[in-house]
Amino acid sequence: MDSRGQVEPRIVWAVVESGIGPLLLAASPGGLVNVVFHATGPVRDRTVERLASRLGTEPVEAPGSPLLAEAIRQVEAYFAGERRDFDLPLDWSLISGFNREVLRELASGVPYGTVVGYGDLAGRVGRPGAAQAVGMAMGANPLPVVVPCHRVVESGGGIGGFGGGLETKRRLLALEGVLPEPLF
């Protein structure tokens, strides 16, 4: 229950502006459960429907919810250049198995301003040679930016793929000082 004696919804969400466009943040009592890029109109609506289906409860738009307050504050501070690390409870219920293991290693072992190769990350979780599977895990990441899949690049120096689009990945890497800022 909240301070007014009301039952807090099980999943709450809000759209926040960021340096890379609108992000949808969704949280449960267990922590931040989803971050979605380009969260306008149809993307936002599909995300809310998918969350309802996957988590078995109807998400409620609640930008003032205590479940979201700290996540919103930290995301805004990150994009303002005032924060390098996220210190949030994370709800991993949208991902499991190898993908979860890889994403947890990424979250704890690849700091701000650094990158790691897909193959290197595979080796860190004891699966050398599983670079392609790591790429699939990055594509399935339900918590991008907070679990920094933008920091995973090709071993030959290429930027690799990115679910939010390559321009978004470039902008995130530029924000962290890994790449130069785009000229325009």
Side-chain angles (χ1 to χ4, degrees):
M1 288 197 190
D2 68 15
S3 61
R4 299 176 312 272
Q6 302 292 313
V7 174
E8 182 81 21
R10 200 167 138 230
I11 303 294
V12 294
W13 63 274
V15 174
V16 297
E17 287 303 318
S18 74
I20 54 171
L23 295 175
L24 184 144
L25 305 180
S28 72
L32 189 66
V33 71
N34 205 196
V35 176
V36 178
F37 296 112
H38 316 298
T40 59
V43 170
R44 180 195 60 232
D45 296 344
R46 279 192 308 272
T47 298
V48 171
E49 288 173 15
R50 184 180 53 78
L51 285 169
S53 173
R54 300 266 322 267
L55 299 174
T57 187
E58 192 64 36
V60 174
E61 184 174 14
S65 170
L67 295 177
L68 285 169
E70 185 61 15
I72 291 170
R73 188 185 73 70
Q74 288 189 28
V75 165
E76 288 173 344
Y78 171 82
F79 283 103
E82 300 165 356
R83 181 170 202 90
R84 293 176 161 229
D85 301 305
F86 292 95
D87 183 21
L88 296 168
L90 301 178
D91 178 338
W92 294 95
S93 60
L94 292 176
I95 195 122
S96 61
F98 175 76
N99 290 354
R100 183 187 292 187
E101 182 181 357
V102 169
L103 292 172
R104 283 181 179 265
E105 172 59 30
L106 174 63
S108 65
V110 183
Y112 183 96
T114 65
V115 294
V116 65
Y118 293 96
D120 293 336
L121 191 53
R124 289 185 187 192
V125 296
R127 298 270 307 270
Q132 189 171 8
V134 166
M136 298 295 285
M138 296 305 104
N141 182 3
L143 296 161
V145 179
V146 175
V147 176
C149 52
H150 59 277
R151 296 180 190 153
V152 184
V153 297
E154 295 174 349
S155 60
I159 195 168
F162 195 63
L166 292 181
E167 183 57 29
T168 298
K169 185 171 186 172
R170 283 186 191 96
R171 291 180 72 189
L172 289 166
L173 291 172
L175 173 70
E176 295 189 9
V178 176
L179 292 177
E181 287 286 343
L183 295 176
F184 46 88

